[in-house]
C-alpha cells in the first residue's frame, strides 16, 4: 500500500492587505470608472446633400456591446457594436445613417 505523505506544518492563511484610506479608495474607484465607462454616440440620419439631418438615436458603446435608444418611436436595442445600429437607421430612399461620437 502506498503511503500518503503528510505534513505537520500549519497551513497559513492568505495575507490580507490593510484597508485603503478614504482618498486611496476614492482614487482607485475613479480609475475603475474611467477604464470601464462607455462611449456616447448619436446615430444621425441625413437626406440629400446637406438638405436635412437629425438625431435618430442615442447610444452607449461598451467593450462588448452597444445599447441604442431611438428618439421618438422605436424599441431600445442591444447590439454587438455601435456600427450595427446603422443597418436599422439607414433606411434607403435617400436616408443615410452615420455615427457621431461624442466627447473624447
Amino acid at each position: 500500500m502506498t503511503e500518503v505523505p503528510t505534513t505537520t506544518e500549519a497551513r497559513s492563511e492568505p495575507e490580507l492587505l490593510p484597508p485603503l484610506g478614504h482618498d486611496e479608495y476614492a482614487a482607485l474607484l475613479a480609475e475603475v470608472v474611467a477604464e470601464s465607462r462607455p462611449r456616447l454616440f448619436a446615430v444621425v440620419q441625413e437626406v440629400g446633400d446637406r438638405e436635412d439631418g437629425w438625431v435618430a438615436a442615442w447610444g452607449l458603446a461598451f467593450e462588448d456591446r452597444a445599447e441604442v435608444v431611438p428618439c421618438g418611436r422605436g424599441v431600445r436595442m442591444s447590439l454587438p457594436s455601435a456600427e450595427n445600429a446603422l443597418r436599422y437607421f439607414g433606411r434607403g430612399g435617400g436616408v443615410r445613417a452615420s455615427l457621431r461620437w461624442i466627447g473624447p
Side-chain angles (χ1 to χ4, degrees):
M1 177 180 272
T2 307
E3 288 187 34
V4 178
T6 59
T7 177
T8 57
E9 294 178 21
R11 293 186 184 223
S12 62
E13 293 294 320
E15 186 178 332
L16 298 177
L17 297 174
L20 295 174
H22 182 285
D23 292 341
E24 294 167 313
Y25 182 72
L28 179 62
L29 278 183
E31 187 177 317
V32 169
V33 168
E35 289 176 1
S36 65
R37 80 170 187 250
R39 291 181 64 199
L40 177 65
F41 65 91
V43 178
V44 174
Q45 290 179 319
E46 298 176 80
V47 176
D49 183 23
R50 296 180 302 245
E51 290 177 35
D52 198 5
W54 56 91
V55 175
W58 287 98
L60 294 174
F62 295 89
E63 186 176 315
D64 61 342
R65 72 186 190 289
E67 299 294 327
V68 181
V69 179
C71 297
R73 293 173 31 191
V75 177
R76 186 190 65 78
M77 294 176 264
S78 185
L79 302 167
S81 71
E83 290 74 19
N84 286 94
L86 298 178
R87 76 166 57 145
Y88 297 99
F89 293 96
R91 298 183 271 203
V95 176
R96 300 182 309 283
S98 61
L99 297 180
R100 305 298 166 107
W101 295 96
I102 312 300

